[in-house]
Amino acid sequence: MTIGHRTTDGPSTAGGHPGVWQGETADLSARSARVGERIIKFALMSSAFFSVVVTVGIVLSLIVPLGTFFQHVGLGEFLFGTEWTAAFGDKFTWDDKSWGVLPLVVSTMMITLIALAVAVPLGLGVAIYLSEYASQRVRKVLKPLLEILAGIPTVVYGFLALTALTPILGSIFEFQGIYTNLAPGIVMGFMIVPTVASLSEDAMSAVPLALRQGSYALGANRMQTTVRVVFPAALSGIVAAIVLGISRAVGETMIVTIAAGSKAHLSFDPREGAQTMTGFIAQIASGDAPQGSPVYYSLFAVGALLFVITLVINMISIRLVRKYRQAY
């Protein structure tokens, strides 16, 4: 006998257990889903909050050392001075050192530009091939192989630049010495290629097929469609990939520490070796300077400047991505 929607002597019409309302079963399922969604939402919010806390912690940890450093060194002298001798000699007094960080910044930017000159054309070329020309079978093989380059330790890249590429470049460009900005810049460019290529290929693959079909219907060939339709449509993702490559190049440590040298001097010749910001941080952090010394505090000043440069790059990236973003 059935009363309403409840079964009294058999299974319910919804296939449930005897004596259970169909509405009750649906409500229990919805309630379980809502609990799961709350847990997932809490986990995601916790991850975002933890990232913010870590960033704030980094900033707070820099305040006291920066205050000590800039009590003795002027901001203008630090940012625009052309001589940096903080890592030389055995004297650790403020007056015995020169605190102009410009040589470190120039060397860092020079190596970054060389890396981008290598990574951007190669990365975009690989992305265009994988997205528009390669078959599905070829893409499944090439893309994982390409991303293996991103997993090679940077120490290996550094020794490759120092022992293999520097002698070759020395014979071509006729320069002496084992350190140069050119070799680590080129090797770093190959290291960044997987980042630029993979993210750019993802952005281009996300462009709707209808845009390609419309271009073909108007008589465009594949290259014209790629350059004039797909590439502009995926420009926001491509810009994000390039900026991510820039951030990685600016923050790279081991390659420049091994192959660029440890002498800071202002030079715009890529054939010469010069210390970068991350190279200086690696040298001082390895224990060469006593804790509490002026050179020790300079470590935090250079680290803070590197943090600001990376922040500015990311802000520019966000602005460019929002400017060129297209919704479909």
Side-chain angles (χ1 to χ4, degrees), residues 63-123:
I63 291 178
V64 175
L66 285 178
T68 303
F69 180 82
F70 286 112
Q71 284 178 356
H72 299 85
V73 180
L75 182 60
E77 177 188 354
F78 175 71
L79 293 178
F80 303 108
T82 59
E83 188 176 3
W84 180 269
T85 60
F88 293 105
D90 56 355
K91 296 182 179 180
F92 296 98
T93 60
W94 294 102
D95 297 333
D96 293 329
K97 302 293 181 180
S98 298
W99 306 101
V101 78
L102 195 58
L104 302 181
V105 176
V106 169
S107 180
T108 300
M109 295 299 105
M110 184 186 303
I111 292 178
T112 300
L113 291 177
I114 295 172
L116 291 178
V118 175
V120 173
L122 289 179

Short mmCIF file of all heavy atoms in Angstrom, two decimals, residues 63-123:
data_model
loop_
_atom_site.label_atom_id
_atom_site.label_comp_id
_atom_site.label_asym_id
_atom_site.label_seq_id
_atom_site.Cartn_x
_atom_site.Cartn_y
_atom_site.Cartn_z
N ILE A 63 62.14 44.66 6.47
CA ILE A 63 62.03 46.03 6.96
C ILE A 63 63.19 46.41 7.87
O ILE A 63 63.86 47.44 7.67
CB ILE A 63 60.68 46.22 7.69
CG1 ILE A 63 59.54 46.15 6.67
CG2 ILE A 63 60.66 47.56 8.42
CD1 ILE A 63 58.16 46.28 7.31
N VAL A 64 63.47 45.61 8.89
CA VAL A 64 64.51 45.95 9.86
C VAL A 64 65.90 45.99 9.21
O VAL A 64 66.64 46.98 9.39
CB VAL A 64 64.48 44.98 11.05
CG1 VAL A 64 65.65 45.27 12.00
CG2 VAL A 64 63.16 45.10 11.80
N PRO A 65 66.31 44.98 8.44
CA PRO A 65 67.63 45.08 7.79
C PRO A 65 67.73 46.25 6.81
O PRO A 65 68.78 46.89 6.71
CB PRO A 65 67.78 43.73 7.07
CG PRO A 65 66.86 42.81 7.79
CD PRO A 65 65.71 43.65 8.22
N LEU A 66 66.64 46.53 6.09
CA LEU A 66 66.66 47.66 5.17
C LEU A 66 66.82 48.98 5.92
O LEU A 66 67.53 49.89 5.47
CB LEU A 66 65.38 47.69 4.33
CG LEU A 66 65.29 46.66 3.21
CD1 LEU A 66 63.95 46.78 2.50
CD2 LEU A 66 66.42 46.81 2.23
N GLY A 67 66.15 49.10 7.07
CA GLY A 67 66.30 50.30 7.88
C GLY A 67 67.73 50.50 8.32
O GLY A 67 68.27 51.62 8.27
N THR A 68 68.38 49.43 8.74
CA THR A 68 69.79 49.53 9.14
C THR A 68 70.68 49.91 7.97
O THR A 68 71.59 50.74 8.10
CB THR A 68 70.25 48.18 9.74
OG1 THR A 68 69.40 47.83 10.83
CG2 THR A 68 71.69 48.28 10.21
N PHE A 69 70.42 49.31 6.81
CA PHE A 69 71.26 49.57 5.63
C PHE A 69 71.13 51.03 5.19
O PHE A 69 72.14 51.71 4.96
CB PHE A 69 70.86 48.63 4.49
CG PHE A 69 71.66 48.83 3.24
CD1 PHE A 69 72.91 48.26 3.10
CD2 PHE A 69 71.15 49.60 2.19
CE1 PHE A 69 73.65 48.45 1.93
CE2 PHE A 69 71.88 49.79 1.03
CZ PHE A 69 73.13 49.22 0.90
N PHE A 70 69.91 51.53 5.09
CA PHE A 70 69.72 52.88 4.57
C PHE A 70 69.97 53.96 5.61
O PHE A 70 69.90 55.14 5.30
CB PHE A 70 68.32 53.01 3.99
CG PHE A 70 68.15 52.30 2.66
CD1 PHE A 70 67.34 51.19 2.55
CD2 PHE A 70 68.85 52.74 1.54
CE1 PHE A 70 67.21 50.53 1.34
CE2 PHE A 70 68.71 52.09 0.33
CZ PHE A 70 67.90 50.97 0.23
N GLN A 71 70.25 53.58 6.84
CA GLN A 71 70.76 54.55 7.80
C GLN A 71 72.18 54.99 7.46
O GLN A 71 72.60 56.09 7.81
CB GLN A 71 70.73 53.96 9.22
CG GLN A 71 69.34 53.93 9.85
CD GLN A 71 69.36 53.30 11.22
OE1 GLN A 71 70.40 52.82 11.69
NE2 GLN A 71 68.21 53.30 11.89
N HIS A 72 72.91 54.13 6.77
CA HIS A 72 74.31 54.41 6.44
C HIS A 72 74.52 54.69 4.95
O HIS A 72 75.53 55.29 4.58
CB HIS A 72 75.20 53.22 6.84
CG HIS A 72 75.17 52.92 8.30
ND1 HIS A 72 74.21 52.12 8.88
CD2 HIS A 72 76.00 53.31 9.32
CE1 HIS A 72 74.45 52.02 10.17
NE2 HIS A 72 75.51 52.74 10.46
N VAL A 73 73.60 54.23 4.11
CA VAL A 73 73.74 54.39 2.66
C VAL A 73 72.52 55.13 2.14
O VAL A 73 71.38 54.74 2.42
CB VAL A 73 73.88 53.02 1.95
CG1 VAL A 73 74.02 53.22 0.44
CG2 VAL A 73 75.07 52.26 2.50
N GLY A 74 72.74 56.19 1.38
CA GLY A 74 71.63 56.94 0.81
C GLY A 74 70.95 56.17 -0.30
O GLY A 74 71.58 55.37 -1.02
N LEU A 75 69.65 56.41 -0.47
CA LEU A 75 68.90 55.70 -1.50
C LEU A 75 69.41 56.04 -2.89
O LEU A 75 69.51 55.17 -3.76
CB LEU A 75 67.40 56.06 -1.38
CG LEU A 75 66.45 55.36 -2.35
CD1 LEU A 75 66.52 53.85 -2.17
CD2 LEU A 75 65.03 55.87 -2.19
N GLY A 76 69.75 57.31 -3.12
CA GLY A 76 70.28 57.70 -4.42
C GLY A 76 71.61 57.05 -4.71
O GLY A 76 71.88 56.61 -5.83
N GLU A 77 72.48 57.00 -3.69
CA GLU A 77 73.77 56.33 -3.86
C GLU A 77 73.59 54.86 -4.18
O GLU A 77 74.30 54.30 -5.02
CB GLU A 77 74.60 56.49 -2.59
CG GLU A 77 75.94 55.77 -2.64
CD GLU A 77 76.66 55.78 -1.31
OE1 GLU A 77 76.16 56.45 -0.36
OE2 GLU A 77 77.71 55.12 -1.19
N PHE A 78 72.63 54.24 -3.54
CA PHE A 78 72.40 52.81 -3.75
C PHE A 78 71.85 52.54 -5.15
O PHE A 78 72.33 51.63 -5.85
CB PHE A 78 71.43 52.29 -2.69
CG PHE A 78 71.02 50.86 -2.88
CD1 PHE A 78 71.91 49.83 -2.68
CD2 PHE A 78 69.72 50.56 -3.28
CE1 PHE A 78 71.53 48.50 -2.86
CE2 PHE A 78 69.33 49.24 -3.46
CZ PHE A 78 70.23 48.21 -3.25
N LEU A 79 70.88 53.32 -5.59
CA LEU A 79 70.21 53.03 -6.86
C LEU A 79 71.01 53.49 -8.07
O LEU A 79 70.95 52.86 -9.13
CB LEU A 79 68.82 53.69 -6.89
CG LEU A 79 67.79 53.14 -5.91
CD1 LEU A 79 66.49 53.92 -6.01
CD2 LEU A 79 67.53 51.65 -6.15
N PHE A 80 71.75 54.59 -7.94
CA PHE A 80 72.40 55.18 -9.10
C PHE A 80 73.93 55.17 -9.02
O PHE A 80 74.59 55.66 -9.95
CB PHE A 80 71.90 56.62 -9.28
CG PHE A 80 70.41 56.71 -9.41
CD1 PHE A 80 69.65 57.24 -8.38
CD2 PHE A 80 69.76 56.26 -10.55
CE1 PHE A 80 68.27 57.32 -8.48
CE2 PHE A 80 68.39 56.34 -10.67
CZ PHE A 80 67.63 56.86 -9.63
N GLY A 81 74.49 54.64 -7.96
CA GLY A 81 75.94 54.53 -7.88
C GLY A 81 76.48 53.53 -8.90
O GLY A 81 75.85 52.51 -9.19
N THR A 82 77.65 53.81 -9.44
CA THR A 82 78.21 52.98 -10.51
C THR A 82 79.32 52.06 -10.04
O THR A 82 79.98 51.43 -10.87
CB THR A 82 78.74 53.88 -11.63
OG1 THR A 82 79.74 54.75 -11.10
CG2 THR A 82 77.63 54.71 -12.26
N GLU A 83 79.52 51.97 -8.75
CA GLU A 83 80.58 51.09 -8.23
C GLU A 83 80.04 50.29 -7.06
O GLU A 83 79.43 50.83 -6.13
CB GLU A 83 81.79 51.91 -7.79
CG GLU A 83 83.00 51.05 -7.43
CD GLU A 83 84.21 51.89 -7.07
OE1 GLU A 83 84.08 53.13 -7.04
OE2 GLU A 83 85.28 51.30 -6.82
N TRP A 84 80.26 48.98 -7.11
CA TRP A 84 79.78 48.07 -6.07
C TRP A 84 80.95 47.19 -5.63
O TRP A 84 81.42 46.34 -6.36
CB TRP A 84 78.64 47.21 -6.59
CG TRP A 84 78.07 46.24 -5.59
CD1 TRP A 84 78.47 44.96 -5.38
CD2 TRP A 84 77.01 46.48 -4.66
NE1 TRP A 84 77.73 44.37 -4.39
CE2 TRP A 84 76.81 45.29 -3.93
CE3 TRP A 84 76.22 47.59 -4.37
CZ2 TRP A 84 75.85 45.18 -2.93
CZ3 TRP A 84 75.25 47.47 -3.39
CH2 TRP A 84 75.07 46.27 -2.68
N THR A 85 81.43 47.44 -4.42
CA THR A 85 82.58 46.67 -3.91
C THR A 85 82.24 45.95 -2.61
O THR A 85 83.12 45.65 -1.82
CB THR A 85 83.78 47.61 -3.66
OG1 THR A 85 83.40 48.60 -2.70
CG2 THR A 85 84.20 48.28 -4.95
N ALA A 86 80.98 45.67 -2.41
CA ALA A 86 80.55 45.08 -1.13
C ALA A 86 81.11 43.68 -0.92
O ALA A 86 81.23 43.23 0.22
CB ALA A 86 79.02 45.04 -1.07
N ALA A 87 81.46 43.00 -1.97
CA ALA A 87 81.90 41.61 -1.82
C ALA A 87 83.41 41.46 -1.82
O ALA A 87 83.90 40.34 -1.80
CB ALA A 87 81.31 40.76 -2.94
N PHE A 88 84.15 42.57 -1.83
CA PHE A 88 85.60 42.48 -1.95
C PHE A 88 86.29 42.84 -0.64
O PHE A 88 85.81 43.68 0.13
CB PHE A 88 86.11 43.42 -3.05
CG PHE A 88 85.68 43.01 -4.42
CD1 PHE A 88 84.68 43.69 -5.07
CD2 PHE A 88 86.26 41.93 -5.05
CE1 PHE A 88 84.27 43.32 -6.33
CE2 PHE A 88 85.87 41.54 -6.30
CZ PHE A 88 84.86 42.23 -6.95
N GLY A 89 87.44 42.24 -0.40
CA GLY A 89 88.28 42.60 0.74
C GLY A 89 87.79 41.99 2.04
O GLY A 89 86.80 41.29 2.12
N ASP A 90 88.57 42.27 3.09
CA ASP A 90 88.25 41.73 4.40
C ASP A 90 87.79 42.81 5.37
O ASP A 90 87.69 42.57 6.57
CB ASP A 90 89.47 41.00 4.98
CG ASP A 90 90.69 41.92 5.03
OD1 ASP A 90 90.59 43.05 4.52
OD2 ASP A 90 91.72 41.47 5.57
N LYS A 91 87.52 44.04 4.88
CA LYS A 91 87.04 45.11 5.73
C LYS A 91 85.52 45.18 5.64
O LYS A 91 84.96 45.12 4.55
CB LYS A 91 87.66 46.44 5.31
CG LYS A 91 89.19 46.49 5.49
CD LYS A 91 89.72 47.84 5.10
CE LYS A 91 91.24 47.90 5.29
NZ LYS A 91 91.78 49.22 4.92
N PHE A 92 84.88 45.30 6.76
CA PHE A 92 83.43 45.26 6.80
C PHE A 92 82.86 46.51 7.45
O PHE A 92 81.93 46.47 8.23
CB PHE A 92 82.94 44.01 7.55
CG PHE A 92 83.31 42.74 6.87
CD1 PHE A 92 84.42 42.02 7.28
CD2 PHE A 92 82.58 42.26 5.80
CE1 PHE A 92 84.76 40.83 6.65
CE2 PHE A 92 82.92 41.08 5.16
CZ PHE A 92 84.01 40.37 5.58
N THR A 93 83.46 47.66 7.15
CA THR A 93 82.93 48.92 7.65
C THR A 93 82.21 49.64 6.51
O THR A 93 82.50 49.41 5.32
CB THR A 93 84.06 49.81 8.19
OG1 THR A 93 84.99 50.07 7.14
CG2 THR A 93 84.76 49.13 9.36
N TRP A 94 81.30 50.52 6.87
CA TRP A 94 80.48 51.19 5.87
C TRP A 94 81.33 52.08 4.95
O TRP A 94 81.06 52.16 3.75
CB TRP A 94 79.40 52.02 6.56
CG TRP A 94 78.39 51.20 7.30
CD1 TRP A 94 78.33 50.99 8.64
CD2 TRP A 94 77.30 50.47 6.73
NE1 TRP A 94 77.26 50.18 8.96
CE2 TRP A 94 76.62 49.84 7.80
CE3 TRP A 94 76.82 50.28 5.44
CZ2 TRP A 94 75.49 49.05 7.61
CZ3 TRP A 94 75.71 49.49 5.24
CH2 TRP A 94 75.06 48.89 6.31
N ASP A 95 82.31 52.74 5.49
CA ASP A 95 83.08 53.70 4.70
C ASP A 95 84.08 53.04 3.76
O ASP A 95 84.60 53.70 2.86
CB ASP A 95 83.83 54.66 5.64
CG ASP A 95 82.88 55.50 6.47
OD1 ASP A 95 81.74 55.72 6.00
OD2 ASP A 95 83.27 55.91 7.59
N ASP A 96 84.38 51.78 3.97
CA ASP A 96 85.37 51.09 3.14
C ASP A 96 84.76 50.47 1.89
O ASP A 96 85.48 49.86 1.09
CB ASP A 96 86.07 49.99 3.94
CG ASP A 96 86.93 50.57 5.05
OD1 ASP A 96 87.44 51.69 4.85
OD2 ASP A 96 87.05 49.94 6.11
N LYS A 97 83.45 50.58 1.71
CA LYS A 97 82.77 49.94 0.60
C LYS A 97 82.05 50.97 -0.26
O LYS A 97 81.70 52.05 0.19
CB LYS A 97 81.76 48.91 1.11
CG LYS A 97 82.35 47.82 1.97
CD LYS A 97 83.29 46.92 1.19
CE LYS A 97 83.85 45.81 2.08
NZ LYS A 97 84.77 44.93 1.35
N SER A 98 81.81 50.58 -1.52
CA SER A 98 80.98 51.36 -2.43
C SER A 98 79.67 50.61 -2.64
O SER A 98 79.68 49.40 -2.91
CB SER A 98 81.69 51.57 -3.77
OG SER A 98 82.89 52.31 -3.59
N TRP A 99 78.55 51.34 -2.55
CA TRP A 99 77.25 50.68 -2.48
C TRP A 99 76.35 50.99 -3.68
O TRP A 99 75.13 50.96 -3.57
CB TRP A 99 76.54 51.08 -1.18
CG TRP A 99 77.36 50.84 0.04
CD1 TRP A 99 78.07 51.76 0.74
CD2 TRP A 99 77.59 49.60 0.69
NE1 TRP A 99 78.72 51.18 1.80
CE2 TRP A 99 78.44 49.84 1.80
CE3 TRP A 99 77.16 48.29 0.46
CZ2 TRP A 99 78.87 48.84 2.66
CZ3 TRP A 99 77.59 47.28 1.32
CH2 TRP A 99 78.43 47.56 2.40
N GLY A 100 76.92 51.30 -4.81
CA GLY A 100 76.12 51.56 -6.00
C GLY A 100 75.71 50.25 -6.67
O GLY A 100 76.54 49.51 -7.19
N VAL A 101 74.42 49.95 -6.67
CA VAL A 101 73.92 48.67 -7.14
C VAL A 101 73.73 48.64 -8.66
O VAL A 101 73.40 47.58 -9.22
CB VAL A 101 72.58 48.33 -6.43
CG1 VAL A 101 71.42 49.11 -7.05
CG2 VAL A 101 72.29 46.82 -6.48
N LEU A 102 73.94 49.75 -9.35
CA LEU A 102 73.69 49.81 -10.78
C LEU A 102 74.46 48.76 -11.58
O LEU A 102 73.90 48.19 -12.53
CB LEU A 102 74.01 51.22 -11.29
CG LEU A 102 73.48 51.58 -12.68
CD1 LEU A 102 71.97 51.44 -12.73
CD2 LEU A 102 73.90 52.99 -13.06
N PRO A 103 75.73 48.46 -11.27
CA PRO A 103 76.42 47.39 -12.04
C PRO A 103 75.71 46.05 -11.95
O PRO A 103 75.62 45.32 -12.94
CB PRO A 103 77.81 47.34 -11.39
CG PRO A 103 78.01 48.70 -10.83
CD PRO A 103 76.67 49.15 -10.36
N LEU A 104 75.19 45.71 -10.78
CA LEU A 104 74.47 44.44 -10.64
C LEU A 104 73.18 44.45 -11.45
O LEU A 104 72.82 43.45 -12.08
CB LEU A 104 74.15 44.18 -9.16
CG LEU A 104 75.33 44.12 -8.19
CD1 LEU A 104 74.83 43.83 -6.78
CD2 LEU A 104 76.34 43.07 -8.62
N VAL A 105 72.47 45.58 -11.43
CA VAL A 105 71.21 45.68 -12.17
C VAL A 105 71.45 45.61 -13.67
O VAL A 105 70.73 44.92 -14.40
CB VAL A 105 70.48 46.99 -11.79
CG1 VAL A 105 69.21 47.16 -12.63
CG2 VAL A 105 70.14 47.01 -10.31
N VAL A 106 72.47 46.33 -14.16
CA VAL A 106 72.76 46.33 -15.60
C VAL A 106 73.13 44.92 -16.07
O VAL A 106 72.65 44.47 -17.12
CB VAL A 106 73.91 47.33 -15.91
CG1 VAL A 106 74.40 47.14 -17.34
CG2 VAL A 106 73.43 48.75 -15.69
N SER A 107 73.96 44.22 -15.33
CA SER A 107 74.32 42.86 -15.72
C SER A 107 73.11 41.93 -15.71
O SER A 107 72.93 41.11 -16.62
CB SER A 107 75.40 42.32 -14.77
OG SER A 107 75.77 41.00 -15.11
N THR A 108 72.24 42.08 -14.71
CA THR A 108 71.03 41.26 -14.65
C THR A 108 70.13 41.51 -15.84
O THR A 108 69.63 40.57 -16.48
CB THR A 108 70.26 41.56 -13.35
OG1 THR A 108 71.10 41.27 -12.23
CG2 THR A 108 69.00 40.72 -13.27
N MET A 109 69.90 42.79 -16.17
CA MET A 109 69.03 43.12 -17.30
C MET A 109 69.64 42.69 -18.63
O MET A 109 68.94 42.25 -19.54
CB MET A 109 68.75 44.62 -17.31
CG MET A 109 67.96 45.13 -16.11
SD MET A 109 66.30 44.39 -15.99
CE MET A 109 66.55 43.24 -14.62
N MET A 110 70.97 42.82 -18.76
CA MET A 110 71.63 42.42 -20.00
C MET A 110 71.46 40.93 -20.26
O MET A 110 71.10 40.50 -21.37
CB MET A 110 73.12 42.78 -19.95
CG MET A 110 73.87 42.49 -21.24
SD MET A 110 75.66 42.78 -21.06
CE MET A 110 75.65 44.50 -20.55
N ILE A 111 71.71 40.12 -19.25
CA ILE A 111 71.56 38.67 -19.40
C ILE A 111 70.11 38.31 -19.67
O ILE A 111 69.80 37.41 -20.47
CB ILE A 111 72.09 37.95 -18.15
CG1 ILE A 111 73.61 38.12 -18.07
CG2 ILE A 111 71.73 36.47 -18.16
CD1 ILE A 111 74.23 37.50 -16.84
N THR A 112 69.18 39.01 -19.03
CA THR A 112 67.75 38.76 -19.26
C THR A 112 67.37 39.06 -20.70
O THR A 112 66.64 38.30 -21.34
CB THR A 112 66.91 39.60 -18.30
OG1 THR A 112 67.24 39.26 -16.95
CG2 THR A 112 65.43 39.36 -18.52
N LEU A 113 67.85 40.17 -21.24
CA LEU A 113 67.55 40.53 -22.63
C LEU A 113 68.13 39.51 -23.61
O LEU A 113 67.49 39.16 -24.61
CB LEU A 113 68.08 41.93 -22.94
CG LEU A 113 67.36 43.09 -22.24
CD1 LEU A 113 68.04 44.42 -22.58
CD2 LEU A 113 65.89 43.14 -22.64
N ILE A 114 69.34 39.05 -23.34
CA ILE A 114 69.93 38.02 -24.21
C ILE A 114 69.09 36.74 -24.15
O ILE A 114 68.83 36.10 -25.19
CB ILE A 114 71.38 37.74 -23.78
CG1 ILE A 114 72.26 38.97 -24.00
CG2 ILE A 114 71.95 36.55 -24.56
CD1 ILE A 114 73.66 38.85 -23.43
N ALA A 115 68.67 36.37 -22.96
CA ALA A 115 67.84 35.18 -22.82
C ALA A 115 66.52 35.32 -23.56
O ALA A 115 66.05 34.37 -24.22
CB ALA A 115 67.58 34.90 -21.33
N LEU A 116 65.91 36.50 -23.49
CA LEU A 116 64.65 36.72 -24.20
C LEU A 116 64.85 36.70 -25.72
O LEU A 116 63.98 36.21 -26.46
CB LEU A 116 64.03 38.05 -23.77
CG LEU A 116 63.50 38.12 -22.34
CD1 LEU A 116 62.96 39.51 -22.05
CD2 LEU A 116 62.42 37.08 -22.11
N ALA A 117 65.99 37.22 -26.18
CA ALA A 117 66.27 37.20 -27.61
C ALA A 117 66.36 35.78 -28.15
O ALA A 117 66.10 35.53 -29.33
CB ALA A 117 67.56 37.96 -27.90
N VAL A 118 66.73 34.85 -27.29
CA VAL A 118 66.79 33.43 -27.67
C VAL A 118 65.44 32.75 -27.45
O VAL A 118 64.95 32.02 -28.31
CB VAL A 118 67.89 32.71 -26.88
CG1 VAL A 118 67.87 31.20 -27.17
CG2 VAL A 118 69.25 33.29 -27.21
N ALA A 119 64.83 33.00 -26.30
CA ALA A 119 63.66 32.23 -25.89
C ALA A 119 62.39 32.62 -26.62
O ALA A 119 61.58 31.74 -26.97
CB ALA A 119 63.45 32.37 -24.38
N VAL A 120 62.18 33.91 -26.86
CA VAL A 120 60.91 34.34 -27.45
C VAL A 120 60.74 33.84 -28.89
O VAL A 120 59.70 33.22 -29.21
CB VAL A 120 60.77 35.87 -27.36
CG1 VAL A 120 59.54 36.34 -28.13
CG2 VAL A 120 60.66 36.31 -25.90
N PRO A 121 61.70 34.05 -29.81
CA PRO A 121 61.50 33.51 -31.16
C PRO A 121 61.38 31.99 -31.19
O PRO A 121 60.49 31.45 -31.86
CB PRO A 121 62.74 33.99 -31.92
CG PRO A 121 63.27 35.13 -31.13
CD PRO A 121 62.96 34.82 -29.71
N LEU A 122 62.26 31.29 -30.47
CA LEU A 122 62.19 29.83 -30.47
C LEU A 122 60.91 29.34 -29.81
O LEU A 122 60.24 28.42 -30.32
CB LEU A 122 63.41 29.26 -29.74
CG LEU A 122 64.76 29.39 -30.45
CD1 LEU A 122 65.87 28.81 -29.58
CD2 LEU A 122 64.73 28.69 -31.79
N GLY A 123 60.56 29.94 -28.66
CA GLY A 123 59.36 29.49 -27.96
C GLY A 123 58.09 29.71 -28.75
O GLY A 123 57.23 28.83 -28.83
#
